[in-house]
């Protein structure tokens, strides 16, 4: 992939500040702009992937054939109970079994 030159219109004061930052960071204004564009595109792509994942999760939920037993109720304590009991004996929690 090659590179292309572009022209930017930028406020003079902002450009002077950018030059000072580039000098302090031993880089160029061009490199700063390029890095910011790379970050912006990456963040945009990540946000798009998150939205798509959320949409897929909602679709899966709507189309699920799973039926919860009558009277079933979400119980956080039961859900995490087994996980917590596995870690009670961990010396990472200060409960060294020795």
């Amino acid at each position: 992939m090659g590179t292309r030159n572009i022209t930017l219109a930028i406020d003079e004061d902002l450009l002077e500040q950018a030059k000072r930052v580039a000098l302090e960071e031993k880089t160029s204004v061009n490199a700063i702009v390029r890095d910011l564009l790379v970050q912006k595109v990456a963040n945009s792509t990540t946000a798009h992937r998150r939205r798509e994942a959320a949409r897929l999760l909602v679709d899966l939920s709507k189309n699920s054939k799973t039926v919860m037993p009558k009277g079933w109720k979400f119980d956080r304590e039961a859900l995490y109970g087994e996980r917590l009991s596995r870690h009670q004996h961990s010396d990472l929690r200060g409960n060294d079994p020795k």
Side-chain angles (χ1 to χ4, degrees):
M1 180 165 62
T3 58
R4 301 220 20 211
N5 290 330
I6 63 171
T7 302
L8 296 174
I10 188 168
D11 180 78
E12 287 181 29
D13 292 335
L14 180 58
L15 179 58
E16 289 305 315
Q17 291 173 4
K19 286 179 180 180
R20 283 194 290 278
V21 169
L23 186 63
E24 290 171 8
E25 295 181 3
K26 296 183 173 122
T27 188
S28 65
V29 172
N30 186 59
I32 292 172
V33 171
R34 185 175 48 244
D35 291 346
L36 288 172
L37 284 171
V38 167
Q39 288 176 9
K40 182 71 173 176
V41 169
N43 289 343
S44 175
T45 302
T46 299
H48 175 72
R49 286 182 185 155
R50 287 181 183 153
R51 283 191 300 274
E52 283 300 308
R55 185 194 57 74
L56 179 59
L57 186 58
V58 168
D59 288 349
L60 286 171
S61 174
K62 286 179 180 177
N63 297 324
S64 175
K65 303 289 187 240
T66 302
V67 178
M68 300 308 295
K70 189 170 184 151
W72 180 87
K73 201 166 122 181
F74 177 78
D75 182 358
R76 184 182 185 108
E77 297 300 319
L79 181 64
Y80 291 104
E82 187 222 324
R83 288 185 187 173
L84 293 173
S85 68
R86 282 187 280 153
H87 296 289
Q88 284 177 345
H89 301 291
S90 170
D91 60 330
L92 293 174
R93 295 190 179 267
N95 298 326
D96 192 358
K98 295 177 187 175

